[in-house]
Amino acid sequence: MTLLTQQTGRYLLLFCALIALFTAIAHLSCIVLGEQCYRAQLAPRAIIESAIHGTLFAPLATVVIACIFIICALYALAGASAIVRLPLTRVAIYIIGSICILRGLATFPLLLSHPEMASTFAIIAGILWFLCGVGYLLGYKLMGYDEQL
């Protein structure tokens, strides 16, 4: 594996980590900003209702989702060798990358079946998650870990 190829893989994984961390922060901002923020981020109706009524469901669900994105970021950082390798890094990278690709690919059929959800935000998010999925898988491959097996 050449240094340039490995560096490209590192950049792809670092990009994915940044996107995941940004997403975690964006989700957490809903706790502070309230119902309108949940609505803008296309949260499910139950979450929006919880935010309106001030129940704990919305903030607790938001923290859980943010933690999932933080874990995704940590695995991207581990794959990029920016932090120590985490348990099951290879498996986690493949699962996260695959889920991101599926999330991105699901955007357009979902928008066709639910046109009321169609927005620039939804389309950009779908494209971004597809690219992140490719970034996780290709970045990890370019880092050369599979060749070490």
Side-chain angles (χ1 to χ4, degrees):
M1 193 64 49
T2 69
L3 185 59
L4 180 60
T5 304
Q6 193 174 36
Q7 194 67 19
T8 302
R10 182 172 287 112
Y11 287 140
L12 285 170
L13 288 165
L14 291 174
F15 170 77
C16 293
L18 286 174
I19 294 297
L21 286 173
F22 174 79
T23 304
I25 292 166
H27 278 76
L28 290 171
S29 73
C30 291
I31 295 171
V32 176
L33 300 175
E35 172 255 335
Q36 285 300 103
C37 187
Y38 283 109
R39 198 177 300 278
Q41 292 190 38
L42 306 176
R45 165 125 335 269
I47 301 278
I48 294 169
E49 290 296 322
S50 171
I52 290 169
H53 298 300
T55 65
L56 286 177
F57 179 61
L60 290 177
T62 301
V63 168
V64 169
I65 296 297
C67 285
I68 291 169
F69 283 113
I70 291 168
I71 290 168
C72 291
L74 290 172
Y75 274 103
L77 292 171
S81 297
I83 62 171
V84 67
R85 214 158 146 79
L86 299 172
L88 301 172
T89 296
R90 180 175 189 256
V91 172
I93 292 282
Y94 285 133
I95 290 171
I96 294 165
S98 298
I99 289 171
C100 289
I101 288 172
L102 290 173
R103 161 60 176 93
L105 291 175
T107 298
F108 295 102
L110 285 173
L111 292 178
L112 291 174
S113 65
H114 299 289
E116 70 279 1
M117 301 289 282
S119 68
T120 303
F121 174 79
I123 293 168
I124 291 172
I127 292 168
L128 204 53
W129 283 116
F130 177 81
L131 293 175
C132 277
V134 172
Y136 270 99
L137 299 178
L138 182 59
Y140 192 75
K141 175 97 174 131
L142 292 175
M143 288 296 292
Y145 291 120
D146 286 342
E147 295 173 3
Q148 298 171 5
L149 298 176

